[in-house]
Amino acid sequence: MSQTVFVINGPNLNLLGLRQPEIYGSETLADVEERCVKLSKDLGLAPKFFQSNAEHEIIDLIHKARHEAAAIVINPAAYSHTSVAIFDALNTFDGIVLEVHISNIHAREAFRHHSFVSARAEGVIAGFGTQGYELALLRLARLLNRSGA
Ligand code: DQA
């Protein structure tokens, strides 16, 4: 049976494809989800995509993942740099956490260089564009002992 992975996206990522395409590309979140779902069939993973602009909703999703998911792939967006509450929520989750940033946060403004979430993540992917989500799923397939990279 496929293992459930929550793919959680934070604020403003609902505008992916429209928002600063020179930084984040022209694909929408729905395009990314479609590619991830296709890839996951071969990996034995079942990704469930979520997006919220509200910190408390992201925390509630992480709590839900405690009972429903083997792993979380999270792009906390701007909350990466501000949210101790999301970090604390991730520490209530026993499964694997991978953090994704579409852009290379280390090559941008200094305030983006630190992420509270990174201290809880098994791995961090930044600057690989939206392909970062697929790379995270490939890594999960390996970590969850399935086929993959
Ligand atoms: C982001 C980087 C963050 O600094 C920014 O606030 C985002 C998106 C990324 O995917 O590159 O909204 O997480």
Side-chain angles (χ1 to χ4, degrees):
M1 220 185 82
S2 296
Q3 305 209 56
T4 300
V5 179
F6 275 25
V7 183
I8 301 175
N9 289 282
N12 300 305
L13 289 167
N14 54 313
L15 294 181
L16 193 64
L18 300 172
R19 165 201 189 207
Q20 294 180 284
E22 68 288 0
I23 296 176
Y24 299 113
S26 53
E27 273 182 313
T28 66
L29 203 54
D31 295 332
V32 177
E33 178 173 358
E34 197 183 311
R35 276 197 285 110
C36 286
V37 167
K38 250 187 222 160
L39 171 72
S40 294
K41 290 201 175 106
D42 292 335
L43 299 177
L45 301 176
K48 286 191 177 173
F49 266 68
F50 304 96
Q51 189 280 328
S52 175
N53 293 323
E55 191 174 22
H56 72 277
E57 285 179 7
I58 294 169
I59 292 164
D60 288 344
L61 281 167
I62 294 167
H63 293 173
K64 196 165 143 75
R66 281 162 48 80
H67 312 290
E68 295 184 18
I72 294 174
V73 172
I74 186 163
N75 183 348
Y79 287 140
S80 318
H81 319 301
T82 62
S83 182
V84 175
I86 289 176
F87 172 65
D88 284 350
L90 287 168
N91 278 323
T92 73
F93 178 72
D94 288 334
I96 300 165
V97 175
L98 297 182
E99 180 181 357
V100 170
H101 297 282
I102 297 164
S103 65
N104 179 2
I105 53 174
H106 302 289
R108 300 182 64 193
E109 301 97 322
F111 65 82
R112 295 184 202 275
H113 295 179
H114 176 260
S115 164
F116 285 99
V117 169
S118 299
R120 167 59 187 92
E122 273 79 6
V124 182
I125 294 170
F128 287 78
T130 53
Q131 193 187 5
Y133 293 88
E134 289 162 279
L135 297 174
L137 291 169
L138 282 166
R139 180 65 184 154
L140 277 181
R142 169 73 71 88
L143 293 174
L144 295 168
N145 272 329
R146 302 215 163 225
S147 60

